[in-house]
Amino acid sequence: MAHVVILGAGTGGMPAAYEMRDLLGPKHEVTLISENPYFQFVPSNPWVGVGWRQREQIVFDIEPHTSRKRINFIAQRADRIDPERNSIDLANGSSVHYDYLIITTGPALAFDAVPGSGPHAGHQKSTHSICTVDHAEKAFAAYMNLLDSNNPDPIIIGAMPGASCFGPAYEYAMIVLSDLEKRGARSKIKEFHFITSEPYVGHLGLGGVGDSQEILTRGLGEMGVQVHTNMNTTKVDDGKMFCEHLNEKGEKIGVGTHDFGFSMMLPSFKGVDAVAKVPELCNPKGFVIVDEHQRSPKYPNIYSAGVCIAIPPVEQTPVPTGAPKTGYMIESMVTALVHNIQAEIQGKAPTAEMGTWNAICLADMGTSGAAFVALPQFKPRRVDWFGEGPWVHWSKIAFEKYFLAKMKAGVSEPFYEKLVFQMLGISRLKSDEPAHLRK
Ligand code: FAD
Ligand code: DCQ
């Protein structure tokens, strides 16, 4: 009997537990461990940050759903992984032994990289985050507080140096603008700034996708947003942001302070402590090093998927940026690794599958939205497309309901989903791609 433990029940970990359970016979055991007892649909957190969603609509308790699928669930934080003894120490003092470990712990938010930043920095006006549902609720309260004032200070939305997940920064800027218009409060906000570490608007950590630069520049411009690119934010104080402006060579060409009444800055990510501390498992930022089969070269019974893995940046930028890891890409990693673990348990080589890492994303912009498809993530791309329209807004709402329903039902990729994506020429596994596309 083999015991497969999945650490982290997020966008990657929940489907990983369900797929692993489906692939393994009843004599094997599957355990999911996560810090919180609930699942949150992370892509909806920007909506929580403007009050368009309540917590209960995007969060549910995990245990009833996993227990129906005969998956053990433990709601505890992991504090230490001992890869020599194959065990994990949990915050409540207990420990769990594994034969195979799947790490899907997502990001730790590196607020410490920019002193004074983040929702727990301690000053009255600090930069907020919409990365977790808790943070998004706090951001919403601060945003409401700003609107209560008669003469509100500027709004700043954007992304910190080293950030990789730029989509939600644009999404949040656009939905705040859309929310201000709905409330008849747009004219109250005299200054609205977008401050980003990207070298140009729409870079997205991907070197741009299709017409992303033109479309997003136009979108922000039409809404009266003042845009600042190549910005290296160095410090945040009470209602003040300190930034260095770099040129394309990475030389400092200006230093400035921006006042704000409300700010949301996407932080850079790093690996969570318990994972980052494991000797030789991770790169210096604490992201798990994996091979093309999602397996650790150092510890062959450890696999990993999602935001917590190490991937190189698509290109060097004057202010450092990273490459984003999006939902479909994460699920392609998960589907590949569960097949590899199944193969190994069956006594075969754990090199059965590779994920396609296709980057597909729906970003909401309030009433309209933007979608991109980058196949594959790294250039040169076979498909490099960025589009916009109200259909994206509605598709994202539909996708939210669909994904939450799948996670409650205990299914990762229903056959019709696979079919629809296949018709679009998109698949999770390399082995499902037409032969000429496989490397
Ligand atoms: P997560 O979903 O963050 O899951 C990690 C889990 O591990 C969490 O439950 C966490 O509590 C748990 N954990 C961490 N450390 C421990 C520990 N020590 N012990 C136990 N448990 C632990 N991608 C898209 O494709 N489309 C989008 O629209 C989109 N929107 C996004 C919006 C936001 C605000 C953000 C931040 C990201 C978005 N992404 C989007 C990117 C990506 O899809 C998400 O970040 C996704 O949730 C990442 O999945 P994950 O499984 O790697 O990590
Ligand atoms: O898992 C996903 C996810 O959540 C993390 C998203 O966030 C909302 C996504 O946008 C996935 C898989 C996606 C992508 C969903 C794309 C569905 C529509 C496909 C149409 C392709 C455009 C032509």
mmCIF file of all heavy atoms in Angstrom, residues 348-386:
data_model
loop_
_atom_site.group_PDB
_atom_site.id
_atom_site.type_symbol
_atom_site.label_atom_id
_atom_site.label_comp_id
_atom_site.label_asym_id
_atom_site.label_seq_id
_atom_site.Cartn_x
_atom_site.Cartn_y
_atom_site.Cartn_z
ATOM 1 N N LYS A 348 6.357 1.121 -12.844
ATOM 2 C CA LYS A 348 6.893 1.605 -14.129
ATOM 3 C C LYS A 348 7.746 2.854 -13.882
ATOM 4 O O LYS A 348 7.784 3.381 -12.775
ATOM 5 C CB LYS A 348 5.740 1.957 -15.079
ATOM 6 C CG LYS A 348 4.856 0.774 -15.425
ATOM 7 C CD LYS A 348 3.750 1.234 -16.352
ATOM 8 C CE LYS A 348 2.512 0.364 -16.191
ATOM 9 N NZ LYS A 348 1.290 1.068 -16.454
ATOM 10 N N ALA A 349 8.359 3.360 -14.955
ATOM 11 C CA ALA A 349 9.172 4.582 -14.793
ATOM 12 C C ALA A 349 8.249 5.780 -14.562
ATOM 13 O O ALA A 349 7.204 5.886 -15.206
ATOM 14 C CB ALA A 349 10.009 4.806 -16.047
ATOM 15 N N PRO A 350 8.639 6.695 -13.641
ATOM 16 C CA PRO A 350 7.774 7.845 -13.333
ATOM 17 C C PRO A 350 7.902 8.964 -14.354
ATOM 18 O O PRO A 350 7.935 10.137 -14.022
ATOM 19 C CB PRO A 350 8.284 8.290 -11.960
ATOM 20 C CG PRO A 350 9.724 7.939 -11.995
ATOM 21 C CD PRO A 350 9.866 6.700 -12.853
ATOM 22 N N THR A 351 7.994 8.581 -15.604
ATOM 23 C CA THR A 351 8.212 9.573 -16.656
ATOM 24 C C THR A 351 7.113 9.447 -17.705
ATOM 25 O O THR A 351 7.324 9.712 -18.882
ATOM 26 C CB THR A 351 9.587 9.344 -17.325
ATOM 27 O OG1 THR A 351 9.675 7.956 -17.675
ATOM 28 C CG2 THR A 351 10.723 9.703 -16.404
ATOM 29 N N ALA A 352 5.935 9.015 -17.233
ATOM 30 C CA ALA A 352 4.851 8.754 -18.171
ATOM 31 C C ALA A 352 4.400 10.028 -18.875
ATOM 32 O O ALA A 352 4.135 10.020 -20.069
ATOM 33 C CB ALA A 352 3.678 8.113 -17.425
ATOM 34 N N GLU A 353 4.310 11.124 -18.138
ATOM 35 C CA GLU A 353 3.653 12.299 -18.695
ATOM 36 C C GLU A 353 4.405 13.596 -18.437
ATOM 37 O O GLU A 353 5.132 13.730 -17.465
ATOM 38 C CB GLU A 353 2.242 12.431 -18.083
ATOM 39 C CG GLU A 353 1.277 11.321 -18.473
ATOM 40 C CD GLU A 353 0.869 11.350 -19.943
ATOM 41 O OE1 GLU A 353 1.269 12.292 -20.671
ATOM 42 O OE2 GLU A 353 0.157 10.411 -20.356
ATOM 43 N N MET A 354 4.122 14.574 -19.336
ATOM 44 C CA MET A 354 4.601 15.950 -19.147
ATOM 45 C C MET A 354 3.408 16.876 -19.338
ATOM 46 O O MET A 354 2.576 16.645 -20.235
ATOM 47 C CB MET A 354 5.636 16.290 -20.218
ATOM 48 C CG MET A 354 6.997 15.704 -19.968
ATOM 49 S SD MET A 354 8.108 16.344 -21.212
ATOM 50 C CE MET A 354 8.099 15.004 -22.367
ATOM 51 N N GLY A 355 3.328 17.923 -18.527
ATOM 52 C CA GLY A 355 2.254 18.904 -18.691
ATOM 53 C C GLY A 355 2.574 19.826 -19.857
ATOM 54 O O GLY A 355 3.735 20.028 -20.196
ATOM 55 N N THR A 356 1.521 20.373 -20.462
ATOM 56 C CA THR A 356 1.745 21.267 -21.608
ATOM 57 C C THR A 356 2.098 22.690 -21.155
ATOM 58 O O THR A 356 2.642 23.461 -21.930
ATOM 59 C CB THR A 356 0.471 21.363 -22.471
ATOM 60 O OG1 THR A 356 -0.631 21.679 -21.611
ATOM 61 C CG2 THR A 356 0.203 20.069 -23.197
ATOM 62 N N TRP A 357 1.742 23.016 -19.889
ATOM 63 C CA TRP A 357 1.995 24.349 -19.337
ATOM 64 C C TRP A 357 1.403 25.456 -20.208
ATOM 65 O O TRP A 357 1.936 26.552 -20.314
ATOM 66 C CB TRP A 357 3.502 24.612 -19.157
ATOM 67 C CG TRP A 357 4.155 23.802 -18.097
ATOM 68 C CD1 TRP A 357 3.792 22.569 -17.651
ATOM 69 C CD2 TRP A 357 5.308 24.170 -17.330
ATOM 70 N NE1 TRP A 357 4.642 22.148 -16.649
ATOM 71 C CE2 TRP A 357 5.586 23.120 -16.453
ATOM 72 C CE3 TRP A 357 6.126 25.300 -17.313
ATOM 73 C CZ2 TRP A 357 6.651 23.145 -15.557
ATOM 74 C CZ3 TRP A 357 7.191 25.329 -16.431
ATOM 75 C CH2 TRP A 357 7.445 24.259 -15.561
ATOM 76 N N ASN A 358 0.274 25.167 -20.847
ATOM 77 C CA ASN A 358 -0.359 26.182 -21.682
ATOM 78 C C ASN A 358 -0.919 27.305 -20.818
ATOM 79 O O ASN A 358 -1.561 27.041 -19.807
ATOM 80 C CB ASN A 358 -1.503 25.557 -22.485
ATOM 81 C CG ASN A 358 -0.984 24.688 -23.618
ATOM 82 O OD1 ASN A 358 0.075 24.961 -24.174
ATOM 83 N ND2 ASN A 358 -1.714 23.643 -23.943
ATOM 84 N N ALA A 359 -0.688 28.542 -21.219
ATOM 85 C CA ALA A 359 -1.182 29.681 -20.438
ATOM 86 C C ALA A 359 -2.446 30.234 -21.089
ATOM 87 O O ALA A 359 -2.410 30.756 -22.211
ATOM 88 C CB ALA A 359 -0.109 30.754 -20.342
ATOM 89 N N ILE A 360 -3.567 30.035 -20.369
ATOM 90 C CA ILE A 360 -4.863 30.558 -20.839
ATOM 91 C C ILE A 360 -5.434 31.307 -19.656
ATOM 92 O O ILE A 360 -5.389 30.796 -18.543
ATOM 93 C CB ILE A 360 -5.857 29.420 -21.145
ATOM 94 C CG1 ILE A 360 -5.198 28.368 -22.002
ATOM 95 C CG2 ILE A 360 -7.138 29.934 -21.774
ATOM 96 C CD1 ILE A 360 -5.923 27.048 -21.921
ATOM 97 N N CYS A 361 -5.963 32.467 -19.863
ATOM 98 C CA CYS A 361 -6.449 33.205 -18.696
ATOM 99 C C CYS A 361 -7.611 34.110 -19.055
ATOM 100 O O CYS A 361 -7.661 34.672 -20.147
ATOM 101 C CB CYS A 361 -5.300 34.034 -18.127
ATOM 102 S SG CYS A 361 -5.634 34.521 -16.459
ATOM 103 N N LEU A 362 -8.548 34.196 -18.134
ATOM 104 C CA LEU A 362 -9.668 35.130 -18.280
ATOM 105 C C LEU A 362 -9.499 36.203 -17.213
ATOM 106 O O LEU A 362 -9.402 35.887 -16.034
ATOM 107 C CB LEU A 362 -11.000 34.404 -18.032
ATOM 108 C CG LEU A 362 -11.330 33.198 -18.904
ATOM 109 C CD1 LEU A 362 -12.604 32.531 -18.412
ATOM 110 C CD2 LEU A 362 -11.481 33.619 -20.358
ATOM 111 N N ALA A 363 -9.454 37.460 -17.617
ATOM 112 C CA ALA A 363 -9.324 38.549 -16.650
ATOM 113 C C ALA A 363 -10.540 39.458 -16.761
ATOM 114 O O ALA A 363 -10.895 39.888 -17.869
ATOM 115 C CB ALA A 363 -8.051 39.349 -16.912
ATOM 116 N N ASP A 364 -11.163 39.749 -15.630
ATOM 117 C CA ASP A 364 -12.361 40.584 -15.659
ATOM 118 C C ASP A 364 -11.971 42.051 -15.610
ATOM 119 O O ASP A 364 -11.021 42.432 -14.942
ATOM 120 C CB ASP A 364 -13.263 40.253 -14.475
ATOM 121 C CG ASP A 364 -14.544 41.050 -14.548
ATOM 122 O OD1 ASP A 364 -15.096 41.167 -15.650
ATOM 123 O OD2 ASP A 364 -14.977 41.582 -13.511
ATOM 124 N N MET A 365 -12.709 42.878 -16.343
ATOM 125 C CA MET A 365 -12.438 44.320 -16.335
ATOM 126 C C MET A 365 -13.710 45.076 -15.944
ATOM 127 O O MET A 365 -13.922 46.208 -16.369
ATOM 128 C CB MET A 365 -11.944 44.775 -17.712
ATOM 129 C CG MET A 365 -10.727 44.017 -18.210
ATOM 130 S SD MET A 365 -9.187 44.614 -17.460
ATOM 131 C CE MET A 365 -8.006 43.414 -18.009
ATOM 132 N N GLY A 366 -14.584 44.443 -15.215
ATOM 133 C CA GLY A 366 -15.780 45.145 -14.746
ATOM 134 C C GLY A 366 -16.993 44.806 -15.573
ATOM 135 O O GLY A 366 -17.796 43.956 -15.186
ATOM 136 N N THR A 367 -17.142 45.460 -16.744
ATOM 137 C CA THR A 367 -18.269 45.107 -17.610
ATOM 138 C C THR A 367 -17.745 44.321 -18.807
ATOM 139 O O THR A 367 -18.425 43.484 -19.354
ATOM 140 C CB THR A 367 -18.992 46.374 -18.127
ATOM 141 O OG1 THR A 367 -17.982 47.265 -18.621
ATOM 142 C CG2 THR A 367 -19.750 47.047 -17.005
ATOM 143 N N SER A 368 -16.500 44.601 -19.178
ATOM 144 C CA SER A 368 -15.854 43.843 -20.243
ATOM 145 C C SER A 368 -14.785 42.956 -19.594
ATOM 146 O O SER A 368 -14.770 42.791 -18.373
ATOM 147 C CB SER A 368 -15.227 44.822 -21.227
ATOM 148 O OG SER A 368 -14.642 44.115 -22.297
ATOM 149 N N GLY A 369 -13.916 42.388 -20.399
ATOM 150 C CA GLY A 369 -12.850 41.566 -19.834
ATOM 151 C C GLY A 369 -11.816 41.292 -20.894
ATOM 152 O O GLY A 369 -11.999 41.628 -22.073
ATOM 153 N N ALA A 370 -10.685 40.709 -20.483
ATOM 154 C CA ALA A 370 -9.625 40.393 -21.432
ATOM 155 C C ALA A 370 -9.214 38.938 -21.237
ATOM 156 O O ALA A 370 -9.139 38.457 -20.105
ATOM 157 C CB ALA A 370 -8.433 41.308 -21.207
ATOM 158 N N ALA A 371 -8.997 38.258 -22.339
ATOM 159 C CA ALA A 371 -8.563 36.858 -22.269
ATOM 160 C C ALA A 371 -7.266 36.728 -23.038
ATOM 161 O O ALA A 371 -7.044 37.458 -24.009
ATOM 162 C CB ALA A 371 -9.619 35.957 -22.899
ATOM 163 N N PHE A 372 -6.382 35.846 -22.571
ATOM 164 C CA PHE A 372 -5.222 35.579 -23.412
ATOM 165 C C PHE A 372 -4.943 34.096 -23.498
ATOM 166 O O PHE A 372 -5.309 33.316 -22.627
ATOM 167 C CB PHE A 372 -3.988 36.370 -22.962
ATOM 168 C CG PHE A 372 -3.358 35.937 -21.653
ATOM 169 C CD1 PHE A 372 -2.627 34.743 -21.568
ATOM 170 C CD2 PHE A 372 -3.462 36.726 -20.523
ATOM 171 C CE1 PHE A 372 -2.028 34.357 -20.382
ATOM 172 C CE2 PHE A 372 -2.870 36.341 -19.325
ATOM 173 C CZ PHE A 372 -2.160 35.157 -19.252
ATOM 174 N N VAL A 373 -4.332 33.743 -24.602
ATOM 175 C CA VAL A 373 -3.891 32.368 -24.820
ATOM 176 C C VAL A 373 -2.438 32.455 -25.293
ATOM 177 O O VAL A 373 -2.152 33.090 -26.316
ATOM 178 C CB VAL A 373 -4.761 31.656 -25.894
ATOM 179 C CG1 VAL A 373 -4.323 30.211 -26.054
ATOM 180 C CG2 VAL A 373 -6.243 31.709 -25.538
ATOM 181 N N ALA A 374 -1.529 31.878 -24.534
ATOM 182 C CA ALA A 374 -0.113 31.851 -24.917
ATOM 183 C C ALA A 374 0.314 30.386 -24.920
ATOM 184 O O ALA A 374 0.464 29.781 -23.871
ATOM 185 C CB ALA A 374 0.732 32.667 -23.946
ATOM 186 N N LEU A 375 0.443 29.814 -26.111
ATOM 187 C CA LEU A 375 0.763 28.387 -26.242
ATOM 188 C C LEU A 375 2.073 28.234 -27.005
ATOM 189 O O LEU A 375 2.089 28.544 -28.178
ATOM 190 C CB LEU A 375 -0.318 27.625 -27.022
ATOM 191 C CG LEU A 375 -1.786 27.775 -26.629
ATOM 192 C CD1 LEU A 375 -2.643 26.874 -27.497
ATOM 193 C CD2 LEU A 375 -2.007 27.431 -25.179
ATOM 194 N N PRO A 376 3.120 27.783 -26.413
ATOM 195 C CA PRO A 376 3.283 27.620 -24.978
ATOM 196 C C PRO A 376 3.634 28.952 -24.326
ATOM 197 O O PRO A 376 3.714 29.980 -25.005
ATOM 198 C CB PRO A 376 4.462 26.643 -24.893
ATOM 199 C CG PRO A 376 5.270 26.926 -26.113
ATOM 200 C CD PRO A 376 4.312 27.404 -27.170
ATOM 201 N N GLN A 377 3.866 28.922 -23.026
ATOM 202 C CA GLN A 377 4.158 30.143 -22.266
ATOM 203 C C GLN A 377 5.413 30.864 -22.792
ATOM 204 O O GLN A 377 5.502 32.062 -22.823
ATOM 205 C CB GLN A 377 4.365 29.720 -20.812
ATOM 206 C CG GLN A 377 4.902 30.794 -19.907
ATOM 207 C CD GLN A 377 3.957 31.059 -18.738
ATOM 208 O OE1 GLN A 377 2.781 30.820 -18.819
ATOM 209 N NE2 GLN A 377 4.465 31.566 -17.656
ATOM 210 N N PHE A 378 6.405 30.047 -23.185
ATOM 211 C CA PHE A 378 7.686 30.639 -23.613
ATOM 212 C C PHE A 378 7.692 30.864 -25.122
ATOM 213 O O PHE A 378 7.157 30.073 -25.885
ATOM 214 C CB PHE A 378 8.857 29.749 -23.177
ATOM 215 C CG PHE A 378 8.987 29.706 -21.681
ATOM 216 C CD1 PHE A 378 8.405 28.689 -20.954
ATOM 217 C CD2 PHE A 378 9.633 30.724 -21.004
ATOM 218 C CE1 PHE A 378 8.474 28.670 -19.567
ATOM 219 C CE2 PHE A 378 9.711 30.725 -19.618
ATOM 220 C CZ PHE A 378 9.134 29.688 -18.898
ATOM 221 N N LYS A 379 8.314 31.975 -25.532
ATOM 222 C CA LYS A 379 8.386 32.310 -26.953
ATOM 223 C C LYS A 379 9.438 31.433 -27.628
ATOM 224 O O LYS A 379 10.390 31.042 -26.963
ATOM 225 C CB LYS A 379 8.737 33.790 -27.096
ATOM 226 C CG LYS A 379 7.625 34.715 -26.618
ATOM 227 C CD LYS A 379 8.050 36.177 -26.747
ATOM 228 C CE LYS A 379 6.905 37.103 -26.392
ATOM 229 N NZ LYS A 379 7.261 38.516 -26.445
ATOM 230 N N PRO A 380 9.371 31.110 -28.914
ATOM 231 C CA PRO A 380 8.320 31.479 -29.853
ATOM 232 C C PRO A 380 7.033 30.694 -29.587
ATOM 233 O O PRO A 380 7.096 29.526 -29.212
ATOM 234 C CB PRO A 380 8.918 31.094 -31.216
ATOM 235 C CG PRO A 380 9.848 29.967 -30.912
ATOM 236 C CD PRO A 380 10.390 30.236 -29.553
ATOM 237 N N ARG A 381 5.902 31.357 -29.792
ATOM 238 C CA ARG A 381 4.617 30.726 -29.478
ATOM 239 C C ARG A 381 3.871 30.316 -30.737
ATOM 240 O O ARG A 381 3.906 30.998 -31.748
ATOM 241 C CB ARG A 381 3.744 31.698 -28.682
ATOM 242 C CG ARG A 381 4.335 31.999 -27.324
ATOM 243 C CD ARG A 381 3.459 32.952 -26.540
ATOM 244 N NE ARG A 381 4.168 33.337 -25.322
ATOM 245 C CZ ARG A 381 4.197 34.554 -24.808
ATOM 246 N NH1 ARG A 381 3.535 35.537 -25.405
ATOM 247 N NH2 ARG A 381 4.857 34.812 -23.713
ATOM 248 N N ARG A 382 3.153 29.232 -30.588
ATOM 249 C CA ARG A 382 2.295 28.729 -31.656
ATOM 250 C C ARG A 382 1.024 29.580 -31.692
ATOM 251 O O ARG A 382 0.505 29.908 -32.746
ATOM 252 C CB ARG A 382 2.022 27.266 -31.290
ATOM 253 C CG ARG A 382 1.067 26.475 -32.017
ATOM 254 C CD ARG A 382 1.418 24.986 -31.768
ATOM 255 N NE ARG A 382 1.453 24.630 -30.355
ATOM 256 C CZ ARG A 382 0.398 24.246 -29.653
ATOM 257 N NH1 ARG A 382 -0.776 24.173 -30.217
ATOM 258 N NH2 ARG A 382 0.515 23.909 -28.374
ATOM 259 N N VAL A 383 0.503 29.916 -30.509
ATOM 260 C CA VAL A 383 -0.652 30.811 -30.395
ATOM 261 C C VAL A 383 -0.264 31.934 -29.441
ATOM 262 O O VAL A 383 0.286 31.675 -28.373
ATOM 263 C CB VAL A 383 -1.898 30.074 -29.830
ATOM 264 C CG1 VAL A 383 -3.108 31.004 -29.809
ATOM 265 C CG2 VAL A 383 -2.197 28.810 -30.597
ATOM 266 N N ASP A 384 -0.515 33.165 -29.845
ATOM 267 C CA ASP A 384 -0.143 34.327 -29.039
ATOM 268 C C ASP A 384 -1.275 35.333 -29.232
ATOM 269 O O ASP A 384 -1.254 36.144 -30.144
ATOM 270 C CB ASP A 384 1.192 34.879 -29.563
ATOM 271 C CG ASP A 384 1.810 35.891 -28.615
ATOM 272 O OD1 ASP A 384 1.984 35.591 -27.438
ATOM 273 O OD2 ASP A 384 2.106 37.013 -29.089
ATOM 274 N N TRP A 385 -2.287 35.222 -28.380
ATOM 275 C CA TRP A 385 -3.533 35.940 -28.660
ATOM 276 C C TRP A 385 -4.062 36.617 -27.405
ATOM 277 O O TRP A 385 -4.041 36.035 -26.321
ATOM 278 C CB TRP A 385 -4.559 34.940 -29.205
ATOM 279 C CG TRP A 385 -5.907 35.531 -29.443
ATOM 280 C CD1 TRP A 385 -6.321 36.219 -30.552
ATOM 281 C CD2 TRP A 385 -7.030 35.496 -28.549
ATOM 282 N NE1 TRP A 385 -7.634 36.624 -30.387
ATOM 283 C CE2 TRP A 385 -8.083 36.186 -29.183
ATOM 284 C CE3 TRP A 385 -7.243 34.951 -27.279
ATOM 285 C CZ2 TRP A 385 -9.337 36.341 -28.582
ATOM 286 C CZ3 TRP A 385 -8.488 35.104 -26.678
ATOM 287 C CH2 TRP A 385 -9.521 35.796 -27.337
ATOM 288 N N PHE A 386 -4.497 37.857 -27.559
ATOM 289 C CA PHE A 386 -5.082 38.620 -26.451
ATOM 290 C C PHE A 386 -6.347 39.267 -27.002
ATOM 291 O O PHE A 386 -6.314 39.933 -28.036
ATOM 292 C CB PHE A 386 -4.079 39.692 -26.005
ATOM 293 C CG PHE A 386 -4.405 40.344 -24.693
ATOM 294 C CD1 PHE A 386 -3.894 39.832 -23.509
ATOM 295 C CD2 PHE A 386 -5.214 41.474 -24.639
ATOM 296 C CE1 PHE A 386 -4.176 40.440 -22.286
ATOM 297 C CE2 PHE A 386 -5.500 42.091 -23.423
ATOM 298 C CZ PHE A 386 -4.976 41.570 -22.245
#
